[in-house]
Structure formats: C-alpha cells, structure tokens
Amino acid sequence: MPTSPAAKTDGASREDYLRSRWDDALAAKMDPVERLIYRSNILGADARITNTGGGNTSSKIEVKDPLTGERTRVLWVKGSGGDLRTATKANFASLYLDQVLNLRTLYEKNEHRGPKTPAEDAMVGMYPYTTFDRNPTASSIDTPLHAYIPFAHVDHMHPVAVIALATAKDGPALTREVYGNDVIWTNWQRPGFELGLELERVCREHPNAKGAILGQHGLINWANDDKECYLLTLDLIRRAQEFLDARAGKADFGGAKVQALPEAERRRVLVEVLPWLRGKVSAEKRQIATVEMREEVLEFVNSHDAPRLAELGTSCPDHFLRTKIKPLYADWNPEGGNVESLKTVLEAGLTQYRADYAEYYDHCKRPDSPAIRVSSPSVILIPGVGLVAWGKSKSESRVTAEFYNAAIGVMRGAERVSQYIALDRQEAFDIEYWLLEEAKLKRMPAEKPLDRQVVLVVGAGSGIGKGLLARLLGEGASVVAIDRDGDSAVAAGNELQKKVGMGIGVAGTGISGAGQIVGLGADMTDRAAIRRALSEAVVAYGGIDQVVVTAGYYPNPDDKGEVGDHEWARAFAINVTGPYLVADERVDLAGAQLERRALERLHAGVGLGHVGRAKHDLAHRRSGQRRKAAACPPSTFTICPVVLLKSPFRNAVIARI
Ligand SMILES: [Zn+2]
C-alpha cells in the first residue's frame, strides 16, 4: 500500500521541491485506486506544490459494476476535507461517472441557473445519489471540475508559482508567454458545477491543451496516464517557477523600509507583546498563536510595499478562508524595539481592523448570509519581527501561518512580473459566507473542554505530572511539559506528540513550529529558569492559561525520626518556593495578557489561595518574606503541594493537596 511522505516540506527546504518522487517499482505493485492515492500523497509532499488541505486529484477507472456485471466508469476523486499528503482511500469519493455527467440534464432544466445560483449549489446535494459501491466519503464542491474534463487523470493544485501568474494583472498574457497553447487562462469563477462546464468547454475548444489556469485560484491539468499527469503537474509548476526566478533581480516588495531586529530582540518583543496581544485577539474567542520569522517573511514585513499588499489581502480561496480578507499590518518602526509603542499601534490597528471587517460584511452581505463571524484578524504582520497567525488550536494556527507564507510567495511572484491583484471583495465574501462553507463549519465536531487553552505542567517528566499530560491533550489543550529533568520532559512530550500526531499546517519558527505539546527542562526553584521556560511557552503558543504544579519532594526522616536541615531546605524549596516562583512569574505574565479589571479580580481573589494572595501582598503591601512564608505553612512539608492556577479569565483558584 502507498506510504505518504513523512512530513510536508515548504520554503524552508532548499531541495528541488519539484523533483519527481514517483517510484515505478512501488507504483507497479498498486491497483489503479492505490496509484491515485500514491500520486496524491506525493503531490501533497511540499507546500509550494499545494497547501495543506488544498487541491484535489482524480482518476476515472473502469470496473465491473456489482449491480449489472457490466463494465462501468467510476470517478475516484478526493472528497471533502483531508489533505493530499496524508490522504487514504477513505478520503476519496467514488461516483458513477456517467451518472455525474448526466446531472447536466437535470441542471439545465433550471431556468435560473449560472455561477453562484441556488441551482448550482443544489447540484452538490445530487452527488451522493451517484455513489458507487456504497462509499460513504462526501464529495467536494470541486467534483465537477474533474468529471467534465474528458481525460482519465486530473490534478488540481494550488502552487505558489502558478498562483503568482493567476493573480497578476496581466495574467492572461503571462499565461500565453509562459505556456504558449499548453495551458489556457480562465477567469476567476467560484468552484462548482459551472466551473466544471467551463473546463469542459476549454477542453473542447483547445483539444491540445494540457491544463488551465484558474484565475486568482490555481492550476488544473490532465492526462490519460497517471504518471504522465503527475509529471505534467510538476513540469507546469516548474515552467512558472523558472519564469519568476528569471525575473529576480532588484529587491522584491520595493526593498526594505526597516531592518529586522536581531533575533534576541525579536524574541524579547514577542514575549512582552504576545500574551497581551493574545488577550486582545481573543476578545470573541480564545486563540493560539504561531510565530513565523523566516527570512522570506521578514523581507516582506520589513518592505516598503508590505502595507499596500497586506491591505489587498490574499487571493486563493483556500488561503483567505484562513487568513481572512486581509491581515493586520502594524505600522510600527521596530528601531529600538519599543514595546509600548507597538502596543499602541496594535491597539489602534485592531480597532480599525474590526471596523473594516464590519464594513466589509455590511457592504457585501446578502439577504441569506450567515451572521458576521469573529472580526479579529487571524494574521498580524509586525515589521522587524515577523508574522503572528492565530487559530483555535496550534495545528489551525500553523495552517494559517502556512497560508500567509504561501500568499507572500504569490505576491512576490506576481509583483515581480506584473502587479498583484487580489480577489474582488464581493467574490471573497461570497466564498467566506457561502452557505456551503457555513454548512461545512456546522459539521465540524464540537470543541473539547480545553480547546483554545494553553496549560503548563511543572513536574511533567514522571508520576502524576506525566499522567496528566495525556488527559490534557485529550481534552484539547496545548501543553507545555516542564521538568527539572529536561530529558524526561522532552521524552514525555515527544512520546505524546507522536501519539496525537502533528496535526496539519507547515509553519512556525523554532519552538513556534511545535505540535500540541512541547517538553522543556527547567528547575522551578530557579526563578531565571522558570522565566525562560515561560518565555518559551509564550513564543510556542502565544500565552499561558493554566498552570499545574505537580512536582514535589518527600523528605525521609532518619532513624531518630528527624529531618535534617538540608532535607528541610530542599523540601521547602521544591514544595513551597518552587510553586510560588511559578505562580509569581505566571502572574507577571498574566499582567500582560489580562485586561486590568481581570487582573484586579485575580489579585483581589474570590477563592484565591495562598500563593496568589502572597503575590498580591508582595505587589501591593510590600510585606515581603513574612507573607511569602505564610504562603505554605511549614506543617505542609510532608505533603506535596499541587498548585492549580485556573483560567485567569474566570476565577483564580489555588488549591493545595
Ligand atoms: Zn482549488
């Protein structure tokens, strides 16, 4: 059976991303459906060929119909959802091809038909009636794109280099220049039944064409042999890539307007600003962050043209469904790295962004449009620093970052050879608020109790702490596993990450490219070590919501039943000072993340335990060591204190067990 590429590569990989990954010996052992899955997996191997979850593939395969015993043509086409790289047979719908083609008769009976009509959307509901062999996989809206192209194999990709041509002002002329008559330009049209008919027309009128550019959107190409189709896809992308590369010369994006901050400075700015920013973008729903600081991203955010291009937004429908109509560009001068001035710029930017989003919704909405969705940006561009993407989980925010990375590549190419044109606002709205997209969102599984939460577990390398990790992950949390024994924390994190899987999306610089869990070494009795670990957690996920301390130490009395001073000191350090330091550093971080009112509630503390109160006292009464000692009376030294700092957005509770 096919084995999918281990991981998706992207612009960070300097290998030739368009090399053939086809293995004849492997393919020879496969049946036609397995070969389709194999082709799909290797096409999905690199984000520059197609984005995570983007694109689809098909094969028209003749088989014996179990109903009649006669030969029949079956369209195997990637269904709704899933990703090409990891697709299995379960991701492919199988439909009686002739029945799908016959749907045209039904469609043409509608007097009011055409792109974006209810008649066109209604065809999606007809595909299940054409199912072959009781296959339960739901067909995607792209099904007719594959059915109506009269070739056995079809690949539809979202390659960065080709979308650069598809979003260029001179797209049709550039297509002719790059491809001659091999690839035909088609204007933007929302995917659906009409686009299928349009592609049928292209094939009829251009019998020698091998593919078409879908304006603003991507590439579709075809062949009667599957390997030939795969190699053609790579070749067409390569022709676009080489065309763009040959035009590299002067600086992209109008050159640098500002310089990137040194890496350590970028990190300092992020640690100071991210928890605060996360609080701001989570006003409607809590979000998890992914930070991108790769060279290409920095080149873009630092450039003269970034504000203009950012305002235009992304183009490929897959991209903008995640990145929203546009990112928020922070018009900030990074020189000196003044975080307060960045916050001021971001605060004003967020207000403007939300107003713009409401205006976009009001201007474009239709009588039956779904209600306005979250109006905070999902991508924030910070000159000198990089890009911050937001999502409901780590995996989702990585996807958003991946898609804006792709969009930067698209804009770079388009601007090199022409001028970048974004998708028309109304067209973008009609995708974003499409009733079929809304139905897809409604079919999403309900969120888990700890989705959108970042939980830090101290003492996670063994025992209760380690046991807790799986439970937290299972309930949806993003988890930072910390232990004094760094190796055990990293091992616990890696083991569980393997179990839950990396999720989707190829993006994130350094620790921000993490999965749902990351393991770190830190001694909680060392304030500097704790501060470093919390900083790592912030760069990884954007902030911290809950802290659990399970680390503890039980001193053994000697033969006389006495505990030596050294043992006492150790027990006190681990059981009392450690949790205090974690909570103390955490509260400082919370100060950045919370609104002032919430912070006051945290301090005033209905139900607030000793450690939090000690922090309050320290901060406001300066009563010092006496209070610190009162945080955990000496009588508790034989009992491991477990400190639970519950969500700062609700009540803060510290419990000792
Ligand atoms: Zn597409």
Side-chain angles (χ1 to χ4, degrees):
M1 272 304 289
T3 47
S4 54
K8 203 176 180 84
T9 52
D10 65 359
S13 159
R14 298 296 167 197
E15 275 182 288
D16 174 18
Y17 75 97
L18 294 169
R19 70 187 182 283
S20 171
R21 294 165 175 85
W22 187 278
D23 181 338
D24 280 323
L26 206 58
K29 291 187 208 131
M30 298 173 185
D31 69 29
V33 177
E34 286 171 346
R35 287 170 71 103
L36 168 63
I37 297 161
Y38 175 59
R39 185 172 109 226
S40 310
N41 291 163
I42 56 180
L43 280 169
D46 192 282
R48 288 160 290 188
I49 296 175
T50 206
N51 58 280
T52 294
N56 31 60
T57 46
S58 68
S59 289
K60 300 176 181 85
I61 299 167
E62 208 180 280
V63 292
K64 195 166 103 176
D65 185 350
L67 288 175
T68 62
E70 303 287 320
R71 303 295 289 175
T72 189
R73 291 187 301 165
V74 175
L75 171 68
W76 282 87
V77 57
K78 189 179 154 281
S80 190
D83 176 50
L84 284 179
R85 180 180 68 83
T86 53
T88 63
K89 197 168 180 179
N91 292 101
F92 285 81
S94 53
L95 310 170
Y96 283 100
L97 178 63
D98 293 331
Q99 290 185 17
V100 178
L101 296 176
N102 279 339
L103 288 175
R104 180 186 203 147
T105 317
L106 186 73
Y107 178 64
E108 287 178 347
K109 279 183 186 153
N110 288 294
E111 209 177 306
H112 302 292
R113 62 178 188 273
K116 302 200 293 186
T117 56
E120 188 193 32
D121 284 359
M123 299 313 288
V124 176
M126 302 311 295
Y127 305 142
Y129 291 101
T130 69
T131 301
F132 170 80
D133 201 18
R134 300 167 297 165
N135 182 345
T137 304
S139 305
S140 88
I141 48 171
D142 286 350
T143 300
L145 280 60
H146 293 264
Y148 282 96
I149 290 174
F151 286 81
H153 306 280
V154 177
D155 291 340
H156 164 49
M157 300 289 121
H158 298 156
V160 171
V162 178
I163 306 178
L165 303 178
T167 55
K169 194 176 171 197
D170 311 307
L174 290 168
T175 302
R176 273 194 301 280
E177 193 178 340
V178 175
Y179 297 113
N181 293 323
D182 288 348
V183 174
I184 307 303
W185 172 271
T186 61
N187 287 330
W188 159 258
Q189 190 163 313
R190 191 169 77 176
F193 208 76
E194 286 282 347
L195 188 52
L197 298 181
E198 169 71 4
L199 289 166
E200 186 194 44
R201 182 191 64 75
V202 166
C203 291
R204 198 171 53 242
E205 292 177 4
H206 306 271
N208 295 322
K210 297 170 179 175
I213 285 196
L214 307 174
Q216 314 290 132
H217 175 173
L219 173 69
I220 192 161
N221 50 270
W222 46 81
N224 277 328
D225 176 81
D226 54 2
K227 182 182 173 186
E228 194 186 312
C229 189
Y230 169 73
L231 294 176
L232 173 67
T233 302
L234 298 183
D235 178 58
L236 295 178
I237 301 170
R238 190 183 293 282
R239 283 158 77 175
Q241 185 68 62
E242 286 176 354
F243 181 78
L244 300 174
D245 290 348
R247 279 145 189 84
K250 61 177 175 44
D252 290 321
F253 307 125
K257 187 170 125 192
V258 297
Q259 295 302 312
L261 289 169
E263 199 180 332
E265 270 294 277
R266 292 205 296 268
R267 196 185 154 82
R268 177 188 63 80
V269 170
L270 284 167
V271 170
E272 286 182 38
V273 86
L274 273 179
W276 171 86
L277 186 55
R278 180 167 179 247
K280 295 287 174 190
V281 299
S282 300
E284 292 148 303
K285 276 180 173 178
R286 201 174 298 207
Q287 307 284 334
I288 306 285
T290 289
V291 177
E292 256 299 345
M293 296 185 279
R294 69 178 65 184
E295 208 181 298
E296 292 85 349
V297 169
L298 285 169
E299 191 187 354
F300 177 71
V301 297
N302 294 343
S303 73
H304 280 284
D305 293 345
R308 169 178 66 83
L309 291 168
E311 187 64 23
L312 292 175
T314 52
S315 185
C316 177
D318 259 24
H319 294 173
F320 73 70
L321 278 171
R322 301 271 187 165
T323 63
K324 303 192 80 132
I325 185 76
K326 64 176 179 181
L328 165 59
Y329 169 82
D331 192 4
W332 175 66
N333 184 350
E335 207 180 328
N338 185 330
V339 170
E340 284 316 306
S341 73
L342 176 57
K343 284 183 181 175
T344 307
V345 166
L346 285 168
E347 183 101 56
L350 284 165
T351 305
Q352 186 62 47
Y353 189 95
R354 292 187 180 117
D356 288 353
Y357 190 81
E359 190 273 327
Y360 153 74
Y361 179 84
D362 286 338
H363 188 263
C364 299
K365 73 175 178 205
R366 298 180 184 274
D368 58 350
S369 290
I372 189 166
R373 303 207 184 101
V374 172
S375 62
S376 294
S378 61
V379 176
I380 296 178
L381 308 173
I382 306 175
V385 176
L387 167 167
V388 186
W390 303 95
K392 68 175 179 181
S393 64
K394 183 62 193 171
S395 172
E396 295 281 321
S397 73
R398 276 203 321 268
V399 177
T400 304
E402 178 197 321
F403 289 9
Y404 205 79
N405 284 345
I408 289 173
V410 165
M411 291 184 281
R412 180 192 302 277
E415 290 274 311
R416 242 182 221 176
V417 294
S418 174
Q419 193 186 330
Y420 171 73
I421 306 284
L423 187 56
D424 171 78
R425 255 177 23 136
Q426 185 65 55
E427 289 296 324
F429 181 91
D430 289 343
I431 288 267
E432 189 177 352
Y433 284 90
W434 194 357
L435 293 176
L436 294 179
E437 284 294 337
E438 176 77 358
K440 231 196 246 178
L441 290 176
K442 286 200 170 129
R443 283 200 302 270
M444 301 268 266
E447 290 195 11
K448 295 175 189 163
L450 294 178
D451 270 355
R452 302 175 181 275
Q453 302 263 338
V454 182
V455 182
L456 197 122
V457 180
V458 183
S462 58
I464 299 172
K466 191 175 174 188
L468 190 60
L469 300 177
R471 172 81 185 268
L472 292 168
L473 290 173
E475 296 197 5
S478 295
V479 178
V480 182
I482 295 178
D483 202 283
R484 196 171 65 147
D485 175 1
D487 290 346
S488 70
V490 171
N494 289 347
E495 182 190 321
L496 284 163
Q497 187 58 69
K498 225 171 171 181
K499 252 184 211 161
V500 295
M502 259 310 268
I504 54 175
V506 194
T509 301
I511 197 167
S512 212
Q516 201 187 338
I517 179 167
V518 67
L520 296 171
D523 180 349
M524 71 169 170
T525 64
D526 175 353
R527 184 184 283 277
I530 282 297
R531 184 169 291 179
R532 272 197 304 276
L534 295 187
S535 302
E536 289 281 280
V538 166
V539 178
Y541 300 110
I544 299 164
D545 299 299
Q546 307 198 36
V547 179
V548 183
V549 180
T550 61
Y553 180 63
Y554 305 82
N556 284 323
D558 62 17
D559 296 346
K560 293 177 199 151
E562 286 175 6
V563 172
D565 288 354
H566 176 71
E567 287 290 279
W568 164 267
R570 189 167 178 215
F572 197 86
I574 295 176
N575 297 346
V576 182
T577 308
Y580 163 71
L581 290 177
V582 173
D584 197 43
E585 285 295 319
R586 167 67 186 88
V587 171
D588 281 349
L589 198 66
Q593 186 165 338
L594 301 178
E595 294 292 342
R596 186 167 170 71
R597 208 167 28 137
L599 185 62
E600 277 166 3
R601 196 166 67 232
L602 179 72
H603 278 175
V606 177
L608 188 66
H610 297 104
V611 176
R613 188 172 299 284
K615 167 66 188 171
H616 171 248
D617 291 342
L618 284 169
H620 299 283
R621 293 184 207 161
R622 309 268 175 214
S623 59
Q625 294 304 313
R626 191 175 51 80
R627 281 285 174 181
K628 209 186 258 190
C632 198
S635 61
T636 61
F637 78 93
T638 53
I639 304 168
C640 170
V642 175
V643 179
L644 285 162
L645 253 177
K646 292 230 3 174
S647 163
F649 291 89
R650 288 181 258 128
N651 291 332
V653 178
I654 296 175
R656 279 189 301 111
I657 296 169

